[in-house]
């Protein structure tokens, strides 16, 4: 189905999975995973409007409201692209790409989660590689950042494997408790040296004006 709003038509396809613009139809297919519990054991995610460890039904309501609000706030100063991760047609998680003053700085950051039963299979790395291809090859980014709590070995391992370099630390809260954040940085030059040639982009050109990208 083609949507009037171009970012919902973006797809990033790798040999293993597809990142598809997070339409309401695709979000509904993820509700069972959110309801079952994406984050019920440590390491906990950040405290934010999409509280994946809240109790049901508040959990899925807050998750949907957070995405709806994020999709609505799109202008050259800030945008967040939400993608549902599809594996053999099954919705298994989300991968987001965030740009703040992108036209000026050319920098992006990312956020993702996978259903618990899909972890430990290298899919997190594949998702991140896909969204980095969108950022650098599709949108012309100069640099990508990522961060995770220092004890989140899976996320930090993905950053390390994809060529990010450590870029200091900061602090955030999760469930109200303060935790140390490891920050990471990936330059376009580093990404170029290891870029893949098996990732396909769909619907990106039509979305550039929405994002304020010339």
């Amino acid at each position: 189905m083609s949507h009037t709003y171009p970012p919902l038509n973006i797809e990033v396809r790798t040999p293993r999975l597809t990142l598809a613009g997070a339409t309401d139809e695709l979000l509904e297919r993820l509700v069972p995973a959110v309801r079952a519990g994406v984050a019920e054991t440590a390491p906990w995610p950040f405290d934010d409007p999409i509280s994946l460890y809240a109790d049901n039904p508040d959990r899925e309501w807050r998750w949907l409201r957070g995405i709806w609000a994020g999709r609505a706030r799109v202008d050259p100063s800030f945008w967040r692209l939400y993608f549902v991760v599809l594996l053999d047609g099954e919705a298994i998680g989300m991968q987001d790409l965030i740009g703040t003053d992108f036209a000026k700085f050319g920098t992006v950051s990312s956020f993702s989660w996978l259903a618990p039963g899909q972890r430990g299979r290298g899919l997190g790395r594949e998702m991140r590689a896909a969204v980095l291809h969108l950022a650098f090859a599709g949108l012309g980014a100069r640099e990508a950042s990522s961060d995770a709590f220092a004890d989140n070995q899976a996320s930090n391992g993905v950053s390390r494997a994809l060529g990010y370099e450590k870029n200091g630390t900061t602090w955030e809260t999760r469930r109200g408790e303060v935790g140390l954040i490891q920050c990471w940085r990936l330059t376009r030059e580093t990404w170029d040296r290891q870029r893949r040639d098996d990732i396909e982009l769909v619907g990106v050109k039509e979305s550039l004006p929405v994002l304020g990208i010339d």
Side-chain angles (χ1 to χ4, degrees), residues 100-114:
T100 302
D101 288 325
F102 182 83
K104 182 188 300 181
F105 300 117
T107 58
V108 295
S109 58
S110 59
F111 171 83
S112 66
W113 61 265
L114 269 172

Side-chain angles (χ1 to χ4, degrees), residues 128 132 144-146 159-160 162-166 184-186:
R128 184 93 67 85
L132 287 173
S145 66
S146 184
S159 297
R160 189 178 297 108
L162 289 174
Y164 289 75
E165 298 178 349
K166 287 186 176 181
W184 299 87
R185 170 178 177 263
L186 177 67

Side-chain angles (χ1 to χ4, degrees), residues 42-140:
W44 304 105
F46 299 89
D47 287 332
D48 69 7
I50 305 175
S51 224
L52 293 175
Y53 46 74
D55 293 331
N56 280 317
D58 191 46
R59 179 191 301 160
E60 59 245 43
W61 293 346
R62 290 178 66 173
W63 172 70
L64 285 168
R65 287 197 300 260
I67 294 171
W68 290 335
R71 287 191 319 196
R73 185 194 168 190
V74 176
D75 58 53
S77 67
F78 179 87
W79 44 259
R80 182 166 182 163
L81 300 176
Y82 297 84
F83 297 98
V84 173
V85 182
L86 301 173
L87 178 67
D88 298 326
E90 179 186 357
I92 62 167
M94 293 199 74
Q95 175 72 66
D96 304 347
L97 186 69
I98 304 145
T100 302
D101 288 325
F102 182 83
K104 182 188 300 181
F105 300 117
T107 58
V108 295
S109 58
S110 59
F111 171 83
S112 66
W113 61 265
L114 269 172
Q118 302 293 340
R119 296 169 188 166
R121 304 169 57 192
L123 296 173
R125 177 174 174 173
E126 188 79 355
M127 291 157 52
R128 184 93 67 85
V131 87
L132 287 173
H133 194 86
L134 169 62
F136 288 114
L139 305 181

Side-chain angles (χ1 to χ4, degrees), residues 1-11 20-25 67-76 78-83 97 202-212:
M1 176 181 177
S2 180
H3 294 270
T4 302
Y5 189 56
L8 295 179
N9 296 320
I10 296 177
E11 289 191 359
T23 65
D24 283 355
E25 294 90 342
I67 294 171
W68 290 335
R71 287 191 319 196
R73 185 194 168 190
V74 176
D75 58 53
F78 179 87
W79 44 259
R80 182 166 182 163
L81 300 176
Y82 297 84
F83 297 98
L97 186 69
V202 176
V204 175
K205 182 178 179 181
E206 297 80 2
S207 299
L208 297 181
V210 179
L211 306 177

